[in-house]
Amino acid sequence: MFPNDNSVELSPHERVAVVALRHEIDLQDAHTVTEVFHRARSHSETDATLLDLSMLTFADSTLLGLILQARIDHEQEQRPFVLAGPLHSAVQRLLELTGVTGFLPLADTREEGMRKLRALLDAGAGAELPPSPPGRQTATDPASDPSPPSASASAS
């Protein structure tokens, strides 16, 4: 278990590192959340990460950026990453207003998220992950950059 202030917790469950975010997470928690995401991704006894947001009551753009980066980092390592709810209305609104719900693998409950991760692990994981968000280029997928070719490149 990761030392926490009751807002961030990391615990292994079967083959899954479960990161639970609780209460309010904002800029002042960024370092702690980043460290927990790194520990989850590098946990030697697990092969996937479940981000449990069911007890999170507030999130801002800082946390959203950290979640998107964690998703990309997991994708680069071909490690499944799923978010689980149920989501508080403020968190749901943040995800909807920013348009990231199509890029983040979401489950309605922690149990459903665990089932999704088990299925991904059993199927071989990496190939089943949704694409990175537009504009976020990964080291393993340079084709994920949706910007049109520059005029000089198309003129040659």
Side-chain angles (χ1 to χ4, degrees), residues 39-127:
R39 287 184 183 212
R41 206 174 60 252
S42 59
H43 195 282
S44 63
E45 297 174 15
T46 63
D47 301 312
T49 302
L50 177 76
L51 179 55
D52 183 349
L53 302 177
S54 64
M55 300 293 288
L56 185 66
T57 58
F58 174 81
D60 63 8
S61 60
T62 300
L63 178 60
L64 180 60
L66 295 175
I67 291 171
L68 290 170
Q69 186 60 54
R71 189 245 180 263
I72 290 167
D73 293 343
H74 278 73
E75 178 183 272
Q76 288 176 341
E77 295 180 18
Q78 296 185 354
R79 181 183 173 98
F81 180 76
V82 171
L83 282 65
L87 301 176
H88 186 275
S89 60
V91 176
Q92 180 72 37
R93 191 167 34 256
L94 174 67
L95 298 179
E96 289 172 355
L97 288 174
T98 56
V100 299
T101 54
F103 305 110
L104 293 171
L106 300 170
D108 290 333
T109 66
R110 183 176 179 147
E111 294 75 23
E112 180 187 336
M114 292 294 285
R115 281 192 300 273
K116 284 184 175 190
L117 287 170
R118 281 188 212 106
L120 288 170
L121 290 171
D122 291 345

Side-chain angles (χ1 to χ4, degrees), residues 16-38:
V16 177
V18 178
V19 176
L21 301 181
R22 297 184 181 94
H23 312 298
E24 298 183 6
I25 302 288
D26 55 23
L27 181 59
Q28 71 182 11
D29 303 300
H31 178 73
T32 301
V33 172
T34 299
E35 177 65 22
V36 170
F37 284 161
H38 172 74

